[in-house]
C-alpha cells in the first residue's frame, strides 16, 4: 500500500510540473501587453519598460520559466503588481473558501447520489428509478451558473431562506455554513444525478456478476451483499470520476464565486486575468492545479484501499 | 434405502424470450438419496444450469416454474418464502460454481469471505477463523494461514476452486450442488480436486449433485447418473449400468463421441448428426427423434416417459 502511494505521488508531482509549464506558456500567449493594461494607454515607453523589467517580462520566456521554478522551489510565488503583497499569502487566504465550497458540493452530491444510484439499481425500473433518470438528465444538461441564478432568485431573493452574498462572518461557523448552502447547491446539484447514474450503471453490472450469485448461494443477507459485496466494487469508477470531477468543479466554482460574490480562488483568478496580473494568475492557477492533482491522487488512493487488485498494480 | 434428500418430480421451467416461450425443462424427475453422489451429464443447453438455479431458487427474472415440485428433506423449496430459502442456502444446501476465476468476491480477502458465510454461528471471530483455517487445510491448500489474508487474484484457478469447496462444505450441508466445478481446470488438477471432493464427501456424509459434461469425471465420481438432453431426462440409473449398457440412443451416441473411448487408429471423431431442437417449439413426440437413427413411427407422435425404478430410459425402442 505504502509503495503504491509513493509511486502514485511521484507521478502526481510530474503531472503538476508539466501542467504548470503548459499553463505558463498559455498565459504568455494571451493577447494584451500587461504593461499597457496596468499603466493605461497614455503611459510613456520608459515607464512601460521599467514595469516590464520589474516583472521580469523583458527576459526571454525560458529564463522567466526557470526563474519562476527557482522561486517556486523556495515557496515564493512572486508579488502582486498592484498591492505588492506576496502572491502566496493572497492565494492561501482565498484557497480555503474554494476548497470548502468544492468539497461541500462534491460531498453533498455523493451523499445523495450514491445511495440514490444504489437504490435505483436494486429497484430498477421502479418509479423512483425512472424519476431519478429524468431528473439526472435535466440537471446534467443545465449549466451550473443557470442553476446558481435561479437558486438565488428563489431561495434567497424570493423566500429569503439563505443569504445571497459573501461567505459569512469569519469565526461564525453557522453563518458561514448558511452562506455555503447556495453556492454548494449550485455547484453540486448537477452532480447528484450524474453520480446516481454512474453508481446505478456499475451497480447493475456488479449485481449480475458471478461472485454475487455465490454470496446469494451462501444465504448472505441482501443488505450485506449490497453494501459490502457489491457497492464496494460499484463505487470504484465513481471515485475515479469524482477525483477528476473536482477539476470541472473548480471551473464551476469560478462562476459560483462571481454570482454569489464569494471570496475564493476563482474570483482572485478572474480579477487577475482581467488585469493581466501575471503573478496572481500564475499563483492561483498553480495552487488550483496542485489541489486538483492532490484530489486525483486521493481518489486513486481510495480506489487502492477499496480494491486490492489496484494495490497490486493489476488492472481490474 | 434411506429417505431421499432431494426429490424433484414433474418439474417444468420456461423462459419468456423475444422468440416466445422457451421450454427449458420438461417433466424432470430426479431423486438423490442421502450420502449419494448423483451426476448429471449432458451437452451445453440441455438444462443443467436451469435445473440447479431452480433448486437453489436463483433463477433469472424471465424464468417461470410451470409445474412440479422440488422436495428438499421433505420440504417443497418452490413453496418457501425468501427468508426460509435463505436459511437453507449455504447451510443445509451448499453450492460450488463453475468458474473459480469469477465466483469469489475480488475485493474481499479469502478469510473475510469465509468469515462472512459463518454469520449464523454465535462463536467468536477467533473460533470462526480457526474453522476456516481447518477447512482450507482439509481441501489441501498449503500454508492455509497465509492464504486467509490473501485475495482471490493472488490464487490460481485450482486453489480458488479448493477455497470454494472449503466454503461450501464448512457448514456440513446435507446436499452439495457442484456445477461443473472442474471444467475450467486442467486435467491433472481436475483429478486431484475430484479425489479430494470424494474424500470430503465421505467425511461430511453429504449427498452431492454433480454436474458435468465430462463423462470420465462422472464415471469416476458418481454413484448414479442422470442423462439430460434438451431439457428432459432421457436416461438414469447406476453409473456402471448406464455407462456399460446404455439404453437410450442419445446416451449411446454420447458415449461413442467421448474422445476418451475413441481408438487412436480412427481418424474421424464420431458425432451425433443434427443439432439441438428449438426449445421454443419442441417436437411433439420424442425430443431426440429428429436426430435418432432408430426412431419408429410412434416416436414422432408420442412422448416416451421415464417410468419405473433403477436403470431406465425414456425411449420406445430402448433395449432393455
Amino acid at each position: 500500500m505504502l509503495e503504491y502511494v509513493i509511486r502514485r505521488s511521484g507521478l502526481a508531482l510530474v503531472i503538476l510540473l508539466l501542467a504548470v509549464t503548459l499553463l505558463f506558456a498559455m498565459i504568455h500567449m494571451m493577447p494584451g501587453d500587461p504593461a499597457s493594461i496596468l499603466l493605461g494607454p497614455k503611459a510613456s515607453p520608459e515607464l512601460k519598460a521599467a514595469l516590464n523589467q520589474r516583472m521580469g517580462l523583458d527576459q526571454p520566456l525560458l529564463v522567466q520559466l526557470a526563474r519562476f521554478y527557482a522561486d517556486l522551489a523556495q515557496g515564493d510565488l512572486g508579488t502582486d503588481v498592484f498591492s505588492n503583497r506576496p502572491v502566496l499569502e493572497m492565494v492561501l487566504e482565498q484557497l480555503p473558501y474554494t476548497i470548502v465550497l468544492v468539497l461541500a458540493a462534491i460531498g453533498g452530491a455523493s451523499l445523495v447520489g450514491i445511495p440514490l444510484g444504489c437504490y435505483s439499481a436494486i429497484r430498477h425500473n421502479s418509479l423512483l428509478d425512472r424519476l431519478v433518470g429524468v431528473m439526472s438528465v435535466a440537471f446534467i444538461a443545465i449549466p451550473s451558473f443557470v442553476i446558481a441564478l435561479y437558486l438565488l432568485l428563489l431561495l434567497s431573493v424570493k423566500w429569503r431562506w439563505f443569504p445571497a452574498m459573501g461567505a459569512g462572518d469569519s469565526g461564525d461557523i453557522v453563518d458561514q455554513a448558511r452562506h455555503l448552502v447556495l453556492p454548494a447547491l449550485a455547484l453540486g446539484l448537477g452532480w447528484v444525478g450524474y453520480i446516481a447514474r454512474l453508481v446505478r450503471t456499475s451497480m447493475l453490472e456488479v449485481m449480475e456478476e458471478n461472485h454475487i450469485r455465490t454470496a446469494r448461494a451462501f444465504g448472505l443477507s441482501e443488505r450485506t451483499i449490497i453494501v459490502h459485496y457489491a457497492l464496494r466494487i460499484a463505487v470504484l469508477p465513481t471515485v475515479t470520476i469524482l477525483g477528476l470531477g473536482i477539476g470541472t468543479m473548480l471551473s464551476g466554482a469560478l462562476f459560483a464565486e462571481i454570482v454569489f460574490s464569494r471570496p475564493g480562488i476563482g474570483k482572485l483568478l478572474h480579477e487577475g486575468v482581467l488585469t493581466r496580473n501575471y503573478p496572481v494568475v500564475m499563483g492561483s492557477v498553480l495552487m488550483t492545479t496542485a489541489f486538483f492533482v492532490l484530489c486525483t491522487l486521493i481518489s486513486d488512493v481510495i480506489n487502492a484501499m477499496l480494491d486490492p487488485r489496484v494495490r497490486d498494480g493489476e488492472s481490474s | 434405502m434411506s429417505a431421499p434428500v432431494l426429490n424433484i418430480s414433474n418439474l417444468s421451467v420456461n423462459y419468456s424470450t423475444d422468440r416466445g416461450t422457451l421450454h427449458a425443462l420438461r417433466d424432470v424427475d430426479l431423486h438423490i438419496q442421502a450420502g449419494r453422489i448423483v451426476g448429471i451429464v449432458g451437452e451445453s443447453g440441455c438444462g443443467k444450469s436451469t435445473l440447479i438455479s431452480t433448486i437453489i431458487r436463483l433463477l433469472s427474472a424471465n424464468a417461470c416454474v410451470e409445474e412440479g415440485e422440488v422436495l428438499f428433506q421433505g420440504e417443497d423449496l418452490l413453496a418457501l418464502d425468501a427468508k426460509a430459502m435463505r436459511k437453507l442456502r449455504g447451510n443445509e444446501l451448499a453450492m460450488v460454481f463453475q468458474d473459480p476465476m469469477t465466483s469469489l468476491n475480488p475485493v474481499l480477502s479469502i478469510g473475510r469471505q469465509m468469515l462472512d458465510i459463518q454469520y449464523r454461528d454465535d462463536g467468536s471471530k477467533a473460533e470462526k477463523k480457526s474453522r476456516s483455517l481447518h477447512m482450507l487445510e482439509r481441501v489441501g491448500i498449503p500454508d492455509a494461514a497465509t492464504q486467509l489474508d490473501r485475495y482471490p487474484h493472488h490464487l490460481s484457478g485450482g486453489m480458488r476452486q479448493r477455497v470454494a469447496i472449503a466454503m461450501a462444505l464448512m457448514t456440513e450441508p446435507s446436499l452439495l450442488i457442484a456445477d461443473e466445478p472442474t471444467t475450467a481446470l486442467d486435467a491433472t488438477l481436475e483429478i486431484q480436486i475430484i479425489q479430494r471432493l470424494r474424500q470430503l464427501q465421505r467425511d461430511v456424509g453429504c449427498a452431492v449433485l454433480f454436474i458435468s459434461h465430462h463423462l470420465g469425471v462422472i464415471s469416476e465420481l458418481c454413484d448414479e447418473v442422470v442423462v439430460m438432453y434438451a431439457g428432459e431426462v432421457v436416461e438414469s440409473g447406476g453409473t456402471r449400468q448406464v455407462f456399460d449398457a446404455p439404453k437410450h440412443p442419445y446416451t449411446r451416441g454420447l458415449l461413442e463421441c467421448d474422445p476418451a473411448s475413441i481408438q487412436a487408429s480412427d481418424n474421424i471423431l464420431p458425432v451425433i448428426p443434427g443439432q439441438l431442437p428449438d426449445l421454443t417449439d419442441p417436437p411433439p413426440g420424442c425430443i431426440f427423434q429428429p436426430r435418432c437413427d432408430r426412431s419408429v413411427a410412434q416416436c414422432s407422435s408420442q412422448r416416451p416417459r421415464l417410468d419405473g425404478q433403477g436403470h431406465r430410459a425414456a425411449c420406445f425402442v430402448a433395449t432393455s
Side-chain angles (χ1 to χ4, degrees):
Chain A
M1 187 70 202
L2 187 70
E3 192 202 317
Y4 176 83
V5 175
I6 294 170
R7 197 152 30 103
R8 192 56 194 73
S9 304
L11 187 65
L13 204 67
V14 174
I15 293 172
L16 186 60
L17 282 178
L18 281 173
V20 169
T21 311
L22 203 67
L23 284 165
F24 189 88
M26 279 165 74
I27 287 174
H28 284 270
M29 278 191 284
M30 263 196 318
D33 169 27
S36 7
I37 292 174
L38 290 171
L39 299 172
K42 288 181 182 157
S44 68
E46 292 79 27
L47 222 59
K48 280 188 189 172
L51 184 73
N52 272 337
Q53 199 189 357
R54 187 156 70 86
M55 288 173 77
L57 294 175
D58 53 341
Q59 304 285 329
L61 214 52
L62 275 178
V63 176
Q64 288 184 45
L65 182 65
R67 192 176 285 170
F68 177 77
Y69 275 131
D71 289 346
L72 186 64
Q74 296 165 35
D76 181 5
L77 288 179
T79 43
D80 180 5
V81 186
F82 298 110
S83 64
N84 270 327
R85 286 180 67 202
V87 170
L88 184 68
E89 195 184 300
M90 293 170 70
V91 170
L92 288 182
E93 208 174 83
Q94 301 296 318
L95 194 63
Y97 289 106
T98 305
I99 293 181
V100 166
L101 174 61
V102 168
L103 291 186
I106 215 149
S110 313
L111 277 181
V112 181
I114 292 174
L116 214 56
C118 194
Y119 184 88
S120 290
I122 295 156
R123 300 252 180 288
H124 66 114
N125 295 332
S126 67
L127 188 68
L128 184 81
D129 177 32
R130 282 161 206 263
L131 207 67
V132 172
V134 174
M135 299 274 282
S136 308
V137 176
F139 279 122
I140 292 166
I142 304 170
S144 63
F145 64 89
V146 176
I147 296 176
L149 287 172
Y150 275 97
L151 284 174
L152 256 182
L153 277 175
L154 274 180
L155 298 182
S156 185
V157 178
K158 197 159 177 219
W159 295 333
R160 300 190 177 280
W161 288 355
F162 296 104
M165 310 285 246
D169 294 335
S170 57
D172 185 349
I173 301 270
V174 178
D175 190 45
Q176 285 186 335
R178 274 170 52 82
H179 277 87
L180 189 61
V181 173
L182 286 189
L185 260 179
L187 207 53
L189 208 55
W191 281 85
V192 173
Y194 188 49
I195 293 170
R197 294 315 279 177
L198 274 174
V199 171
R200 177 187 186 270
T201 310
S202 39
M203 193 71 184
L204 278 177
E205 212 171 281
V206 174
M207 289 304 277
E208 289 296 309
E209 278 174 19
N210 283 344
H211 58 86
I212 296 298
R213 187 186 55 180
T214 309
R216 288 224 168 92
F218 278 109
L220 296 184
S221 73
E222 224 25 47
R223 210 189 115 82
T224 310
I225 292 176
I226 289 165
V227 179
H228 298 290
Y229 281 65
L231 191 58
R232 187 171 164 153
I233 300 170
V235 294
L236 294 172
T238 309
V239 170
T240 307
I241 290 190
L242 284 185
L244 294 169
I246 299 255
T248 324
M249 265 205 182
L250 282 167
S251 55
L254 191 131
F255 289 112
E257 282 164 5
I258 293 167
V259 173
F260 294 97
S261 294
R262 202 186 138 80
I265 207 96
K267 210 149 166 287
L268 187 71
L269 180 64
H270 177 64
E271 283 156 13
V273 170
L274 286 183
T275 54
R276 300 294 187 275
N277 197 341
Y278 284 178
V280 170
V281 173
M282 213 44 221
S284 0
V285 169
L286 176 70
M287 290 308 263
T288 315
T289 312
F291 176 62
F292 170 60
V293 171
L294 182 70
C295 286
T296 56
L297 174 66
I298 291 173
S299 79
D300 279 359
V301 170
I302 293 176
N303 257 336
M305 271 159 55
L306 290 174
D307 190 344
R309 291 167 299 183
V310 175
R311 228 157 38 223
D312 295 340
E314 210 183 84
S315 59
S316 53
Chain B
M1 204 185 264
S2 54
V5 177
L6 188 73
N7 204 341
I8 298 174
S9 45
N10 243 347
L11 183 69
S12 298
V13 174
N14 297 338
Y15 288 104
S16 52
T17 67
D18 297 339
R19 294 190 300 120
T21 308
L22 190 142
H23 304 273
L25 292 179
R26 287 176 315 286
D27 298 321
V28 168
D29 285 299
L30 186 93
H31 313 283
I32 304 178
Q33 308 293 330
R36 300 277 279 177
I37 304 182
V38 175
I40 298 183
V41 65
E43 56 198 299
S44 314
C46 73
K48 294 174 292 191
S49 299
T50 304
L51 181 62
I52 301 161
S53 302
T54 312
I55 299 170
I56 58 167
R57 291 262 306 273
L58 289 176
L59 276 169
S60 59
N62 64 339
C64 156
V65 177
E66 190 71 10
E67 62 168 323
E69 54 180 17
V70 178
L71 296 179
F72 176 69
Q73 298 177 322
E75 224 174 346
D76 189 2
L77 295 182
L78 301 177
L80 289 181
D81 61 22
K83 203 178 154 194
M85 191 63 217
R86 197 158 79 73
K87 222 168 146 183
L88 287 176
R89 284 189 202 130
N91 194 12
E92 282 291 286
L93 188 61
M95 180 89 212
V96 175
F97 289 100
Q98 179 171 8
D99 184 4
M101 303 315 271
T102 59
S103 60
L104 294 171
N105 192 297
V107 299
L108 299 174
S109 68
I110 304 292
R112 165 75 194 275
Q113 295 186 52
M114 294 188 82
L115 189 74
D116 280 354
I117 61 168
Q118 299 178 65
Y119 70 97
R120 293 184 181 92
D121 296 297
D122 298 325
S124 71
K125 225 171 162 179
E127 280 169 27
K128 290 178 182 177
K129 193 178 166 184
S130 82
R131 192 180 303 150
S132 307
L133 200 64
H134 178 61
M135 211 56 225
L136 287 185
E137 279 161 0
R138 281 176 78 183
V139 293
I141 288 185
D143 200 8
T146 333
Q147 310 298 346
L148 280 180
D149 294 325
R150 302 182 82 193
Y151 292 88
H153 71 275
H154 293 138
L155 306 180
S156 66
M159 282 300 149
R160 288 189 212 192
Q161 202 56 298
R162 283 171 204 258
V163 170
I165 292 170
M167 285 170 74
L169 290 176
M170 192 145 62
T171 53
E172 311 220 322
S174 316
L175 175 65
L176 173 73
I177 302 174
D179 182 8
E180 309 213 21
T182 55
T183 304
L185 307 175
D186 62 54
T188 43
L189 264 176
E190 186 167 34
I191 293 166
Q192 283 177 26
I193 299 234
I194 293 302
Q195 284 167 347
R196 187 67 73 163
L197 193 65
R198 170 112 237 182
Q199 186 194 329
L200 284 164
Q201 181 266 339
R202 284 199 192 112
D203 296 349
V204 174
C206 62
V208 176
L209 179 60
F210 190 91
I211 287 87
S212 183
H213 59 247
H214 191 161
L215 297 168
V217 169
I218 295 270
S219 77
E220 178 76 22
L221 182 71
C222 301
D223 305 315
E224 289 158 43
V225 62
V226 170
V227 183
M228 285 186 74
Y229 174 75
E232 286 181 16
V233 173
V234 293
E235 181 161 358
S236 75
T239 306
R240 283 277 61 82
Q241 294 168 295
V242 173
F243 275 71
D244 293 343
K247 287 184 173 180
H248 198 282
Y250 175 66
T251 315
R252 289 170 174 231
L254 206 60
L255 290 170
E256 276 165 22
C257 295
D258 184 19
S261 68
I262 298 161
Q263 306 282 313
S265 55
D266 298 347
N267 280 324
I268 311 156
L269 276 175
V271 289
I272 303 176
Q275 50 195 342
L276 279 170
D278 178 6
L279 291 183
T280 56
D281 182 26
C286 171
I287 190 75
F288 189 60
Q289 183 271 330
R291 297 173 78 180
C292 187
D293 53 3
R294 301 169 41 151
S295 66
V296 294
Q298 192 187 14
C299 298
S300 50
S301 58
Q302 222 179 320
R303 268 184 70 190
R305 304 281 308 178
L306 190 74
D307 288 322
Q309 293 288 319
H311 184 198
R312 59 208 201 275
C315 182
F316 295 120
V317 295
T319 41
S320 43

